[in-house]
């Protein structure tokens, strides 16, 4: 029995020595590895910074390329818009002129085919009516004048007169017609306005 206990104790001592040896070997292995120096840490950080910088440069290149494409698209759009505006201004009266071509040709036919003054007058009456209708369809209206109160926004007073038939500031006569186009005054009426003389003081 004592022998068995002795054998067990010797086995435990051997195991303990082996465990101690393993720990010592591990400790030696760790000691054999070179410790991380400040230089190696800086190298790692520098490598990370270089990688980040490379990614940012790629992103910047992509953004720059995108910006250049947007700028090119905007320039194309601006050129197209400028051309459209030029065309609008250039051909703004195209439809109106097309309508007046008909009137122009009617006048030419009246002059060629009329054999007397009566036919000429009838032809020009028809042309006048046709032209008037075309202008009214475009929004042209004559500004009322005679008998109306003088309006500085529609009328231009060329003469004044004291008339018993009209009230003060009332239009007596229209010297030249005025016109509005879609409610915008494009030509003021030239008028004669009644101005009553103030009674003389005794």
């Amino acid at each position: 029995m004592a022998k068995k206990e002795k054998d067990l104790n010797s086995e435990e001592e051997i195991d303990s020595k082996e465990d101690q040896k393993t720990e010592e070997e591990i400790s030696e292995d760790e000691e054999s590895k070179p410790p991380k120096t400040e230089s190696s840490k800086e190298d790692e950080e520098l490598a990370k910074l270089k990688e980040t910088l490379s990614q940012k440069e790629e992103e910047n290149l992509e953004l720059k390329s995108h910006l250049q494409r947007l700028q090119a698209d905007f320039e194309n759009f601006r050129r197209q818009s400028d051309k459209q505006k030029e065309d609008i201004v250039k051909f703004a009266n195209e439809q109106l002129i097309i309508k007046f071509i008909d009137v122009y040709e009617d006048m030419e036919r009246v002059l060629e085919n009329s054999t007397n003054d009566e036919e000429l007058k009838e032809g020009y009456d028809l042309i006048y009516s046709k032209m008037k209708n075309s202008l009214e369809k475009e929004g042209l209206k004559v500004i009322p004048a005679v008998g109306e109160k003088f309006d500085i926004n529609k009328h231009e007073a060329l003469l004044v007169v004291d008339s018993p038939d009209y009230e003060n500031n009332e239009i007596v006569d229209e010297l030249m017609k005025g016109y509005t186009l879609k409610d915008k005054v494009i030509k003021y009426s030239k008028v004669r306005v009644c101005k009553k003389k103030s009674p003389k003081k005794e």
Side-chain angles (χ1 to χ4, degrees):
M1 186 78 176
K3 186 178 179 182
K4 283 183 179 179
E5 285 179 1
K6 188 177 179 182
D7 291 339
L8 284 171
N9 286 336
S10 63
E11 284 178 6
E12 285 176 1
E13 284 177 6
I14 290 167
D15 290 340
S16 173
K17 284 180 181 179
E18 285 178 355
D19 291 342
Q20 188 177 358
K21 184 180 178 183
T22 306
E23 288 174 2
E24 286 174 359
E25 285 174 354
I26 291 167
S27 174
E28 285 176 2
D29 289 341
E30 287 178 354
E31 286 177 2
S32 65
K33 288 181 181 178
K36 284 189 177 180
T37 62
E38 288 295 326
S39 177
S40 64
K41 286 180 182 178
E42 288 177 359
D43 290 342
E44 285 180 8
E45 288 178 2
L46 185 61
K48 287 180 182 177
L49 287 172
K50 282 181 179 179
E51 187 179 350
T52 305
L53 182 63
S54 177
Q55 289 175 353
K56 294 297 180 185
E57 284 176 349
E58 287 179 7
E59 289 175 6
N60 285 340
L61 286 172
E62 288 179 6
L63 287 172
K64 187 178 179 181
S65 177
H66 183 61
L67 183 63
Q68 286 173 342
R69 287 195 298 273
L70 285 175
Q71 190 173 3
D73 290 342
F74 176 74
E75 286 297 322
N76 290 333
F77 172 76
R78 189 177 61 80
R79 280 195 292 269
Q80 289 174 358
S81 296
D82 290 344
K83 190 177 184 308
Q84 286 176 353
K85 287 177 184 175
E86 287 175 6
D87 289 344
I88 288 169
V89 172
K90 189 176 180 181
F91 301 107
N93 298 323
E94 181 179 353
Q95 294 301 317
L96 186 62
I97 289 170
I98 287 170
K99 290 176 182 177
F100 274 103
I101 287 172
D102 293 338
V103 176
Y104 171 76
E105 290 175 348
D106 288 343
M107 291 175 70
E108 190 175 31
R109 279 190 288 271
V110 167
L111 288 171
E112 288 176 355
N113 300 323
S114 297
T115 57
N116 54 55
D117 291 344
E118 189 177 346
E119 288 180 356
L120 190 66
K121 186 179 182 305
E122 286 177 3
Y124 272 105
D125 284 343
L126 289 171
I127 292 167
Y128 171 77
S129 178
K130 189 174 182 178
M131 184 181 290
K132 184 181 177 185
N133 289 335
S134 295
L135 290 170
E136 285 175 353
K137 284 179 182 177
E138 292 297 322
L140 188 76
K141 291 181 181 177
V142 176
I143 296 173
V146 178
E148 298 287 325
K149 281 287 184 182
F150 178 78
D151 184 351
I152 194 170
N153 296 314
K154 296 178 180 178
H155 309 117
E156 183 180 346
L158 298 184
L159 298 168
V160 292
V161 63
D162 185 359
S163 173
D165 300 325
Y166 293 91
E167 295 180 5
N168 192 43
N169 233 24
E170 200 171 63
I171 296 171
V172 175
D173 190 20
E174 183 181 54
L175 306 174
M176 290 183 71
K177 286 185 179 181
Y179 298 91
T180 60
L181 181 63
K182 296 177 181 176
D183 299 326
K184 178 186 176 183
V185 176
I186 59 172
K187 185 181 178 184
Y188 289 89
S189 296
K190 313 266 193 241
V191 296
R192 185 184 298 157
V193 184
C194 177
K195 281 289 182 184
K196 299 290 186 183
K197 293 180 181 177
S198 56
K200 292 181 180 178
K201 293 181 181 179
E202 293 183 1

